[in-house]
Amino acid sequence: MTHAIRFERTGGPDVLSFQEIALKAPGDGEVRVRHTAVGVNFIDIYHRTGLYKVPLPSGLGLEAAGVVESVGAGVTRFREGDRVAYASGPIGAYSEAHNIVANRAVKIPDGVGDDVAAAILLKGLTAHYLLRRTYKVEPGTTILFHAAAGGVGMIAIQWARSLGATIIGTVGSDNKVELARRLGCHHVIVSSRENIAGRVREITGGKGVPVVYDSVGRDTFMATLDSLSPLGMFVSFGNASGPVPPFDGALLAQKGSLYFTRPTLANYVTTPEELDTAAGELFDLVARNVIRKSEPKRFPLAQAAEAHQALESRQTTGSLVLIPG
Ligand SMILES: NC(=O)c1ccc[n+]([C@@H]2O[C@H](COP(=O)([O-])OP(=O)(O)OC[C@H]3O[C@@H](n4cnc5c(N)ncnc54)[C@H](OP(=O)(O)O)[C@@H]3O)[C@@H](O)[C@H]2O)c1
């Protein structure tokens, strides 16, 4: 028997409960991972609230690290005892153990702890595709990155800095400014008391920026549009404040023939080769201290609801992990 966080109806953090579950032997192509650390991601909140629909009752979570406990038929990628991490479905990572598709996991290199792997894999793979593929950041590119002190933000800002970008980051409150600067932001805008687009125009001498990475959604939609230079790219990759409103394509013409994309990690990492390349780059930057391994905030697995409460109330910076008891 093993334990997992489950929920029977959508709602607030209180719908989450810690339950005993039965876990089958891993199927063909699967491995069973005994978790040592579980990554908390904002998408888990979208699943819990029903913004993204999942069949109920359900487990929760897409990311964890741990040790391969048993191997299903046909798996050659891993053996029992390997330290691995993963950042994709099937949903159910908020658990002591989980069966996952072996091709969707990676070995954790020596020198990277399980808690760090669980804290950075999903967010780091996201930062990788955003900065290296969706809009290629080059030396001298000026970018606007919202929620710069958050989990994805913390990795993306350091990564963008290493690529030679000039970085404007937004944070929700004054107490996150110092961290955003330390991560590598050249300019920090406090979204709760400053006019984001106005400040971006000021900083860029009226030009605007060629790309905005926006995971806040509803609350920053207009500010993002108004911060872009002509032909700029609006990268809408999340909805922490709610989904962006439906809009007329003509708005993109009006604001300067802009491009709008709504990317998701699952479309950028579709093969084990893509996963290994992106994770390899991420772990290499961590090994070289380009991305510093800041301590994730830890919660006991059974207290996942508290982790959600902290994340959605904008109290946190960096990553959160759940530790099985
Ligand atoms: N599309 C993809 O492939 C992909 C993959 C991973 C993550 N994401 C998205 O990336 C974003 C960051 O994920 P994360 O797990 O690292 O979370 P996070 O950034 O640690 O937390 C979200 C942050 O968003 C900001 N925010 C602004 N308005 C908010 C509101 N009304 N409610 C809550 N937060 C608000 C807060 O920072 P401030 O208080 O500083 O504003 C908060 O800390 C999420 O939107 C997530 O869905 C997308």
Side-chain angles (χ1 to χ4, degrees):
M1 275 296 178
T2 187
H3 293 87
I5 295 288
R6 309 266 310 160
F7 64 119
E8 267 122 51
R9 60 190 168 82
T10 55
D14 56 306
V15 300
L16 303 180
S17 70
F18 189 62
Q19 298 178 9
E20 203 166 83
I21 57 160
L23 193 58
K24 293 184 294 191
D28 290 4
E30 290 184 343
V31 291
R32 177 192 290 184
V33 181
R34 175 70 41 189
H35 294 156
T36 48
V38 174
V40 177
N41 292 285
F42 221 93
I43 192 171
D44 308 335
I45 293 174
Y46 307 147
H47 286 144
R48 193 206 72 217
T49 59
L51 179 65
Y52 295 175
K53 306 270 177 270
V54 292
L56 296 175
S58 176
L60 197 61
L62 297 171
E63 177 181 43
V67 177
V68 173
E69 191 172 64
S70 53
V71 173
V75 173
T76 53
R77 195 168 159 83
F78 301 115
R79 300 183 197 166
E80 280 177 28
D82 281 345
R83 270 188 342 119
V84 299
Y86 63 90
S88 74
I91 208 164
Y94 283 21
S95 56
E96 292 168 341
H98 191 39
N99 292 330
I100 55 154
V101 177
N103 278 348
R104 298 202 195 132
V106 291
K107 276 194 188 152
I108 304 172
D110 293 343
V112 176
D114 292 8
D115 54 347
V116 169
I120 65 167
L121 187 63
L122 194 148
K123 299 167 187 76
L125 293 175
T126 303
H128 175 267
Y129 86 73
L130 291 173
L131 302 172
R132 311 277 283 131
R133 297 178 63 192
T134 307
Y135 183 97
K136 275 195 174 204
V137 171
E138 312 277 0
T141 309
T142 301
I143 69 171
L144 172 62
F145 204 106
H146 291 302
V152 174
M154 184 177 265
I155 298 169
I157 299 303
Q158 296 181 79
W159 203 323
R161 185 74 187 228
S162 78
L163 295 170
T166 298
I167 306 161
I168 307 171
T170 70
V171 294
S173 48
D174 284 285
N175 60 355
K176 297 183 183 177
V177 171
E178 176 51 33
L179 173 63
R181 277 197 198 285
R182 257 190 289 127
L183 293 170
C185 288
H186 297 84
H187 308 273
V188 183
I189 301 173
V190 182
S191 56
S192 52
R193 63 170 176 77
E194 294 189 278
N195 176 317
I196 297 174
R199 287 276 289 119
V200 169
R201 295 282 160 191
E202 215 173 88
I203 292 163
T204 57
K207 286 202 295 238
V209 290
V211 60
V212 182
Y213 297 101
D214 186 340
S215 65
V216 171
R218 184 172 53 210
D219 288 358
T220 45
F221 179 67
M222 281 315 290
T224 291
L225 285 172
D226 289 332
S227 297
L228 283 160
S229 52
L231 314 194
M233 185 176 289
F234 188 144
V235 182
S236 171
F237 72 101
N239 348 257
S241 68
V244 299
F247 66 94
D248 185 341
L251 186 61
L252 299 176
Q254 221 181 75
K255 299 283 179 184
S257 301
L258 304 176
Y259 296 85
F260 181 94
T261 182
R262 177 54 177 96
T264 181
L265 179 60
N267 294 128
Y268 278 88
V269 176
T270 57
T271 64
E273 293 74 29
E274 278 174 342
L275 175 61
D276 289 342
T277 302
E281 272 196 54
L282 172 68
F283 286 134
D284 177 56
L285 291 176
V286 170
R288 291 193 288 114
N289 235 7
V290 173
I291 294 173
R292 291 181 299 275
K293 293 178 283 188
S294 73
E295 288 286 304
K297 185 157 174 43
R298 292 174 174 71
F299 294 81
L301 173 62
Q303 289 168 26
E306 287 174 29
H308 276 213
Q309 163 69 29
L311 183 59
E312 65 194 320
S313 61
R314 303 172 75 167
Q315 289 165 24
T316 62
T317 55
S319 297
L320 283 61
V321 293
L322 306 174
I323 306 295

